[in-house]
Amino acid sequence: MTQYEELLADSYEEFIQEIDLDEEEEELVLFLFTTWSLFSILDDTDQTIVEQFINKKKKENKIRASTLEQLEKWIGATASYTVVTKVMEDLHIEVEDIFTEEKKIVKLQEEDPEIQEGVGLVGFLLPYGSYYSYYTTYLDFPVNEAVILKNEFQAMYDASDVKDSSIFMRVNFASIMVSMLTEGFDERLDVDQLDWENPIYQAVAQVYKQQIEHFDLPEQIQELGVTLWYIFCKKERPTIRKFKNYAAALHYYIDHKLPILNFLTQADVAEMYEVSKGSLAKAYKHLEKGLEDELDKLYDFMEQMEDEDDENILFDNYEIDEDDDELDFEDLFSFNEEPKNQK
């Protein structure tokens, strides 16, 4: 910003002139645009800012040859959209590029509880010896959004005339990020879009969706079950003989864990899915154990929804008896076997 203030300011003004953003959106867009600019915008010397920085360091001759060699690998870096394929030790993760399917080992700067298999990451990956690291930071997207966003990126790439994904990202990254902030994207989760490692995992999700769609519930609650099941499959890779047992267990799990529900007994759900109560209970315990870490995240999400009075996307248009006591989200963590508000 000090060395190239005029270049960055002029570029940003030209880019943003017809885009209407609020203060918070513009702050994020300016940050992303500036980061993108370092690797993408050419000045009158036909060099990027990063390239000029590296050439300056070469002339100074004050840093080691190995460091310069490393820096030179940063020239031409572009933003990438990757999906986390493995969480490793010592802040290391494995990610896969959605376009090239190239896998890279990435070292995070600090512990991030949001990082898990299936999460989408957008940012600038730079090589650091045996691993890569995100320059400044990254944008992360939870599993359900990551899958939708992957399809959005792929559709835009397929519709473009560009055959090189790195060139596509270099040219379009800034405008794509603005579109995501101002226009959003289709948030409907399609079971068929998810990358299921085993067809039987997909069958569980499909049967669950077919059954729960008969209930008058917000779509976000229905999709929550699919998202949690996808996370569970990624983490546990369960061996399943009868997929209906797990579909039933998933339905009961969602009904039992959300405090606005708890309408069904295990017997009700077992009858609905035509499975035995014992088989359902066994699968439910497996689900409960495997998703234990997700409960804190679900709790935080629901607390956030509780605070949003006018724009509650989860409970919008969902009628709750006004005479009922205020919902206590601590109930989310109840492991009682009997439902609290049987209807």
Side-chain angles (χ1 to χ4, degrees):
M1 295 299 291
T2 302
Q3 299 282 343
Y4 302 93
E5 181 179 5
E6 185 176 352
L7 173 64
L8 291 172
D10 291 346
S11 300
Y12 183 71
E13 185 177 346
E14 182 181 350
F15 170 73
I16 207 70
Q17 57 185 342
E18 296 181 3
I19 302 174
D20 185 25
L21 301 173
D22 62 32
E23 185 176 345
E24 185 176 345
E25 288 173 339
E26 182 155 12
E27 183 178 351
L28 178 57
V29 168
L30 177 59
F31 172 76
L32 293 172
F33 183 87
T34 303
T35 305
W36 170 78
S37 298
L38 303 181
F39 299 92
S40 305
I41 292 181
L42 302 177
D43 70 351
D44 52 11
T45 67
D46 286 334
Q47 293 182 328
T48 64
I49 293 175
V50 165
E51 193 171 359
Q52 291 181 64
F53 169 78
I54 294 170
N55 288 334
K56 180 181 177 181
K57 292 300 176 183
K58 283 182 180 179
K59 292 177 181 178
E60 290 176 354
N61 198 25
K62 294 181 180 179
I63 57 178
R64 290 177 298 179
S66 59
T67 304
L68 278 175
E69 184 181 355
Q70 185 71 75
L71 284 174
E72 287 181 326
K73 295 179 181 179
W74 295 8
I75 297 174
T78 59
S80 63
Y81 181 54
T82 62
V83 175
V84 178
T85 52
K86 188 184 300 181
V87 178
M88 307 160 74
E89 297 179 344
D90 299 326
L91 301 179
H92 286 73
I93 60 174
E94 180 187 76
V95 300
E96 180 177 288
D97 188 282
I98 65 164
F99 296 121
T100 65
E101 297 183 352
E102 179 185 2
K103 292 185 177 181
K104 295 177 178 177
I105 302 298
V106 177
K107 185 177 182 180
L108 304 176
Q109 298 302 314
E110 59 184 8
E111 195 74 38
D112 187 346
E114 299 301 321
I115 299 300
Q116 57 184 287
E117 289 186 24
V119 165
L121 299 176
V122 174
F124 289 80
L125 276 174
L126 302 181
Y128 280 81
S130 61
Y131 62 86
Y132 286 75
S133 183
Y134 281 100
Y135 179 70
T136 65
T137 189
Y138 51 80
L139 300 179
D140 61 280
F141 300 88
V143 174
N144 59 325
E145 291 183 9
V147 175
I148 298 168
L149 192 58
K150 176 182 178 181
N151 291 322
E152 294 278 335
F153 268 79
Q154 190 66 56
M156 286 186 283
Y157 178 53
D158 292 341
S160 73
D161 296 328
V162 181
K163 302 303 180 184
D164 187 323
S165 60
S166 63
I167 295 176
F168 170 78
M169 290 297 286
R170 178 177 292 114
V171 173
N172 296 287
F173 173 74
S175 57
I176 289 173
M177 291 298 102
V178 169
S179 297
M180 286 174 50
L181 288 171
T182 58
E183 301 172 15
F185 49 87
D186 187 356
E187 297 183 3
R188 292 170 296 177
L189 184 64
D190 187 343
V191 171
D192 296 331
Q193 291 178 340
L194 294 166
D195 180 24
W196 301 100
E197 295 183 13
N198 189 323
I200 202 168
Y201 298 164
Q202 183 174 352
V204 170
Q206 288 172 332
V207 171
Y208 159 81
K209 283 278 284 184
Q210 290 168 4
Q211 287 290 353
I212 205 165
E213 283 173 357
H214 296 306
F215 292 76
D216 184 21
L217 296 173
E219 188 173 338
Q220 288 84 358
I221 291 180
Q222 299 179 28
E223 293 181 350
L224 176 63
V226 176
T227 301
L228 290 174
W229 173 247
Y230 184 76
I231 293 171
F232 175 80
C233 291
K234 284 288 185 180
K235 291 171 61 177
E236 299 294 319
R237 293 177 172 82
T239 300
I240 298 175
R241 293 179 59 191
K242 296 183 178 180
F243 62 86
K244 281 191 176 182
N245 292 338
Y246 276 87
L250 179 61
H251 195 141
Y252 182 69
Y253 184 90
I254 293 298
D255 182 84
H256 195 59
K257 296 302 181 185
L258 295 185
I260 68 167
L261 301 182
N262 276 329
F263 297 158
L264 304 170
T265 64
Q266 285 191 359
D268 292 332
V269 179
E271 182 179 355
M272 186 190 317
Y273 285 83
E274 299 179 338
V275 300
S276 70
K277 185 177 176 181
S279 298
L280 186 158
K282 183 178 180 180
Y284 174 79
K285 287 182 179 179
H286 191 184
L287 264 179
E288 193 174 50
K289 183 177 179 181
L291 291 173
E292 187 174 1
D293 292 342
E294 304 307 313
L295 286 178
D296 284 340
K297 298 173 187 176
L298 187 56
Y299 172 81
D300 291 341
F301 173 72
M302 294 186 69
E303 265 197 338
Q304 178 186 348
M305 293 301 99
E306 187 182 34
D307 293 337
E308 295 179 7
D309 296 327
D310 298 326
E311 298 182 1
N312 192 319
I313 62 169
L314 182 60
F315 303 131
D316 190 30
N317 298 325
Y318 190 80
E319 295 182 3
I320 300 177
D321 190 345
E322 294 181 357
D323 295 330
D324 286 350
D325 293 335
E326 183 179 355
L327 290 174
D328 181 5
F329 288 103
E330 293 291 340
D331 289 344
L332 181 65
F333 302 101
S334 172
F335 292 88
N336 296 334
E337 281 300 314
E338 293 300 321
K340 300 183 190 64
N341 54 332
Q342 178 74 30
K343 294 186 180 179

